[in-house]
């Protein structure tokens, strides 16, 4: 049942609703944008490495259906990684071109379900920038580190053997759901309900 729909987690639901215009501060996705500056970059190797990760990690192929359920697309279609050469531009032109790339990549609106976007720009013969847009609908802090580490490993060695994946995010979400109402769940809930009265208050911010 790997490709069958499964529920969004509470934080995913919050992100999904927050990227709509339903709230005053909504209409924007929660995302991580980063840049890696390299002295050399084999564009074809990077594109191949990224597609290997898309095939490897189910959540890089996640979609959301009309009922608000997530599912994993079975078909990992090849993803092109755009390459731009700004090395012939003067300093001002190069800066403006880079800002245009950044603005486009970080401007994914509520109508777009873009979970990842990878691009490469050449700024000089010995300066390349790898741009990474990663939506928090499919990432968290720990998984970002995993992605960066595995991408670096595949760039260094396209034949690198990565650790076997034995559990999917779908497995985790469904297993967590089965804990609801269990003895362990009720014990934990009772503990925190008893703690509410003694928890420190929220910070008194202006």
């Amino acid at each position: 049942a790997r490709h069958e729909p499964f529920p969004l987690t509470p934080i995913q639901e919050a992100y999904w609703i927050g990227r709509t215009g339903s709230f005053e501060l909504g209409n924007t996705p929660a995302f991580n944008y980063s840049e890696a500056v390299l002295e050399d970059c084999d564009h074809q190797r990077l594109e191949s490495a990224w597609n290997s990760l898309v095939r490897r990690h189910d959540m890089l192929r996640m979609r959301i259906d009309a009922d608000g359920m997530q599912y994993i697309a079975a078909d990992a279609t090849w993803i092109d990684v755009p390459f731009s050469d700004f090395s012939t531009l003067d300093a001002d032109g190069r800066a403006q071109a880079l800002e245009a790339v950044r603005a486009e990549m970080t401007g994914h609106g509520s109508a777009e379900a873009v979970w990842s976007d990878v691009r490469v720009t050449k700024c000089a013969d010995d300066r390349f920038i790898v741009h990474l847009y990663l939506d928090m609908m499919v990432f968290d802090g720990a998984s970002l580190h995993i992605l960066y580490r595995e991408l670096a490993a595949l760039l260094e060695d396209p034949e690198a053997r990565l650790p076997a994946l034995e559990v999917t995010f779908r497995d985790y979400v469904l297993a967590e759901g089965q804990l609801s109402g269990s003895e362990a769940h009720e014990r934990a809930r009772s503990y925190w309900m008893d703690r509410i009265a003694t928890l420190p208050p929220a910070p008194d911010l202006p």
Side-chain angles (χ1 to χ4, degrees):
R2 182 177 181 179
H3 303 291
E4 293 297 314
F6 61 104
L8 295 171
T9 65
I11 190 67
Q12 284 180 306
E13 283 188 348
Y15 288 155
W16 182 244
I17 295 171
R19 67 192 296 137
T20 70
S22 302
F23 298 94
E24 182 180 357
L25 297 180
N27 211 34
T28 185
F31 64 89
N32 177 282
Y33 174 80
S34 61
E35 296 180 355
V37 180
L38 308 177
E39 293 183 357
D40 188 27
C41 180
D42 185 328
H43 174 238
Q44 295 302 319
R45 177 179 285 197
L46 174 65
E47 188 172 85
S48 178
W50 181 252
N51 279 275
S52 293
L53 293 177
V54 171
R55 291 191 300 271
R56 169 175 165 79
H57 293 289
D58 284 5
M59 287 303 285
L60 288 174
R61 305 191 308 280
M62 189 271 275
R63 307 287 187 270
I64 298 179
D65 65 20
D67 296 324
M69 300 281 281
Q70 58 187 324
Y71 68 95
I72 306 303
D75 183 20
T77 56
W78 185 265
I79 297 174
D80 294 326
V81 173
F83 178 87
S84 301
D85 188 349
F86 300 151
S87 61
T88 60
L89 302 176
D90 61 24
D92 289 341
R94 189 162 53 249
Q96 292 177 10
L98 284 171
E99 283 305 309
V101 171
R102 292 164 180 146
E104 183 178 355
M105 292 186 69
T106 59
H108 295 299
S110 61
E112 300 175 276
V114 179
W115 307 139
S116 61
D117 189 357
V118 182
R119 307 186 191 187
V120 179
T121 55
K122 178 181 180 181
C123 299
D125 288 341
D126 60 350
R127 181 180 170 85
F128 296 79
I129 298 178
V130 178
H131 308 258
L132 288 162
Y133 169 97
L134 305 170
D135 196 293
M136 302 311 285
M137 281 288 293
V138 299
F139 289 95
D140 61 10
S143 56
L144 285 173
H145 286 293
I146 293 172
L147 184 85
Y148 294 145
R149 185 170 62 246
E150 292 188 352
L151 181 58
L154 290 174
L155 286 176
E156 183 174 344
D157 178 10
E159 303 301 322
R161 293 177 62 86
L162 301 177
L165 302 177
E166 299 177 354
V167 178
T168 68
F169 186 62
R170 185 179 190 277
D171 296 330
Y172 164 78
V173 171
L174 296 180
E176 184 186 42
Q178 291 173 354
L179 290 175
S180 180
S182 67
E183 181 180 346
H185 178 271
E186 291 305 313
R187 187 166 58 248
R189 185 178 186 279
S190 295
Y191 170 83
W192 286 109
M193 291 299 291
D194 292 342
R195 283 290 311 279
I196 287 178
T198 59
L199 292 175
D204 184 19
L205 299 176

